[in-house]
Amino acid sequence: MTDPKRAARQPVPARALIPHRLAAAPSAHGMVVPFVTLAHRDRTRPVWGKLDPNRLRETLHRKLCQICGDPLTDRVVLYIRPSDYLRGLTPEPGVHPECGLYSKQACPMLAGRVDRYNPHPPEQLTRCDDPVCDCRRWMAPEPDPRDGRREGQPAEAWYEAWLHLRDYVIVTDPGNDTAAPAVGVDLRPSSRIRRLRKVRDAAPGSEDSQPVDLLAALIAIRVFFGVGGPFQ
Ligand SMILES: [Zn+2]
Ligand SMILES: [Zn+2]
């Protein structure tokens, strides 16, 4: 999730209702700290916008929800960008529908309350006083020059895609001259996406493209004519 402290530019709506599934989850600044977010051992001290690589790997391969950390169930919600669709995989693990509903309200990026990703200089990876906290081993990863850095960039459009759990497949893309290797959820064939709709528009200046809008229209037509409707 994007740093809620940086999202004060626009009025924040009434606080998102925390679903039962997230009632016991750690929170900070009034928001649930997602399972995959990098945090000190005291998880009420997250590094907003940074993912914990070990938790991310576990979440993808064990098919867990990236918000609550519980196993995904029949209906899986993904949040994807046009660039994910073009690549055919999304690095963002899926979520339960109720955890997704919460994220759409609480996450400043998905809710459209911010137009840029958090800039996170390495000095923000500070150590805490807990002697057994993993923060002593935190290091800013070497950026892959083929990887577009999100930090400080204008927000892309985000879409909500619904899949059945049986279509939730983790794949590895070895990368090429222009794209860094990536692991994520397979988005191909697009027929596995049962429902798709836009969650937020791209910010001005984003190198956004519109193929996902076309896909959303195609899926809407397919559902309208009763071909492969949601979760059949
Ligand atoms: Zn720590
Ligand atoms: Zn969940």
Side-chain angles (χ1 to χ4, degrees), residues 39-42 45 126-130 133-136 138:
H40 293 273
R41 196 162 73 100
D42 170 5
R45 297 186 57 192
T126 50
R127 292 180 179 182
C128 69
D129 295 331
D130 182 342
C133 180
D134 277 347
C135 62
R136 271 147 189 74
W138 287 354

Side-chain angles (χ1 to χ4, degrees), residues 21-22 65-72 94-100:
R21 195 184 275 282
L22 292 169
C65 168
Q66 67 157 301
I67 306 295
C68 69
D70 288 340
L72 292 167
V95 299
H96 296 112
E98 62 268 39
C99 295

Side-chain angles (χ1 to χ4, degrees), residues 6-20:
R6 293 174 183 272
R9 197 174 49 75
Q10 294 179 28
V12 178
R15 182 163 294 181
L17 284 179
I18 295 179
H20 180 71

Side-chain angles (χ1 to χ4, degrees), residues 59-60 64-67 72 76-78 92-96 168 185:
T59 301
L60 284 170
L64 308 179
C65 168
Q66 67 157 301
I67 306 295
L72 292 167
V76 181
V77 177
L78 296 172
E92 297 265 354
V95 299
H96 296 112
Y168 187 84
V185 184

Side-chain angles (χ1 to χ4, degrees), residues 77-82 104 109-112 155-162 193 195-203 206 208-217 219-220:
V77 177
L78 296 172
Y79 291 99
I80 66 172
R81 301 159 297 167
K104 272 193 301 185
M109 179 54 66
L110 289 181
E156 300 137 295
W158 283 86
Y159 294 78
E160 181 180 85
W162 288 60
I193 299 175
R195 192 183 299 165
L196 188 76
R197 65 191 181 94
K198 190 185 274 188
V199 172
R200 67 155 292 162
D201 285 317
S206 165
D208 198 15
S209 49
Q210 300 301 320
V212 184
D213 278 345
L214 292 175
L215 177 69
I219 288 177

